Amino acid sequence: MHRVLAAWRAVGQESLNLPNFITLVRILLIPFFIILFITPTPDRSMSAAVIFVVAAVTDMLDGYIARRTGQVTKLGKLLDPIADKLLVLSALILLVNVDRVSALVAILVIAREVAVTGIRAIAAGEGMIISAENTGKYKMALQVVAITLLILEGTDLGELGNLHLAGIVTLYLSLVLGYVSGGQYVWSFWRQVVAKGL
């Protein structure tokens, strides 16, 4: 436990740079999304979709700025995936609530995210950071597309085509990629932590 606390103290000493600030903005947008979509109407669903997409875009923006300006920090590496999980899981739970996503799919997604978060926490306690693989990034992109389509199903844009089917198929693809990337996290954790006898 003292190793975990020491790691968090070290992370907390880093300055709140622009990429990390953008990540915090993403987290702050989540309650507004929830308020709008917890009782969806066509107008509220459209507004919720806009907020969701804006929040998702900040995910790409903070990472790009951090890499471009050399502001990649331990705080950012830990905070960014947490913000992503809060955004996606909040949306999935609300979509289950309005019967657009099955509870089983949401449980499988949540189980994967909890497992990966646990692995990252253990690694952080050992002073190591396990960064996201490209597969995980593709998974996140597909999740954003799927969830956006499913949110928009309840708006006038639903007349453009079968948004529900498109959203569900995309969500299933993201689920497959999610478990592939989860396996990559386990392998990376094994190489960095377990195999070194830490």
Side-chain angles (χ1 to χ4, degrees):
M1 176 62 82
H2 69 279
R3 288 182 178 180
V4 175
L5 292 175
W8 277 108
R9 278 197 296 268
V11 166
Q13 292 172 355
E14 296 179 341
S15 61
L16 184 61
N17 57 26
L18 179 58
N20 293 341
F21 176 76
I22 293 173
T23 302
L24 287 175
V25 169
R26 180 157 77 257
I27 293 173
L28 293 175
L29 285 173
I30 295 171
F32 294 98
F33 166 76
I34 292 173
I35 289 169
L36 285 169
F37 199 59
I38 198 166
T39 53
T41 64
D43 289 341
R44 290 166 69 91
S45 293
M46 183 67 76
S47 299
V50 170
I51 291 177
F52 182 82
V53 170
V54 169
V57 168
T58 66
D59 177 39
M60 296 182 290
L61 184 61
D62 60 11
Y64 173 79
I65 293 175
R67 291 187 297 271
R68 190 67 182 267
T69 61
Q71 297 185 72
V72 177
T73 63
K74 289 182 180 179
L75 177 61
K77 287 182 178 180
L78 290 173
L79 199 59
D80 186 65
I82 290 174
D84 295 342
K85 288 170 177 53
L86 287 173
L87 178 64
V88 168
L89 297 185
S90 296
L92 279 177
I93 291 170
L94 291 175
L95 286 168
V96 169
N97 187 52
V98 293
D99 295 322
R100 295 182 196 172
V101 171
S102 75
L104 177 60
V105 171
I107 289 170
L108 289 173
V109 173
I110 292 170
R112 183 268 181 197
E113 301 301 344
V114 169
V116 169
T117 301
I119 289 171
R120 283 184 171 222
I122 295 171
E126 300 296 341
M128 299 180 180
I129 300 294
I130 301 179
S131 300
E133 300 284 349
N134 284 334
T135 308
K137 295 175 183 177
Y138 298 147
K139 176 269 301 180
M140 178 64 182
L142 286 176
Q143 283 180 338
V144 168
V145 172
I147 290 170
T148 302
L149 290 172
L150 291 168
I151 292 172
L152 291 173
E153 177 189 343
T155 69
D156 293 339
L157 294 179
E159 299 174 0
L160 298 178
N162 195 335
L163 298 186
H164 180 78
L165 178 60
I168 290 297
V169 169
T170 307
L171 187 60
Y172 284 154
L173 289 175
S174 73
L175 184 61
V176 172
L177 282 184
Y179 275 87
V180 170
S181 68
Q184 292 174 331
Y185 277 112
V186 171
W187 173 242
S188 181
F189 174 76
W190 179 267
R191 286 189 298 106
Q192 292 188 50
V193 180
V194 178
K196 292 182 179 179
L198 295 176

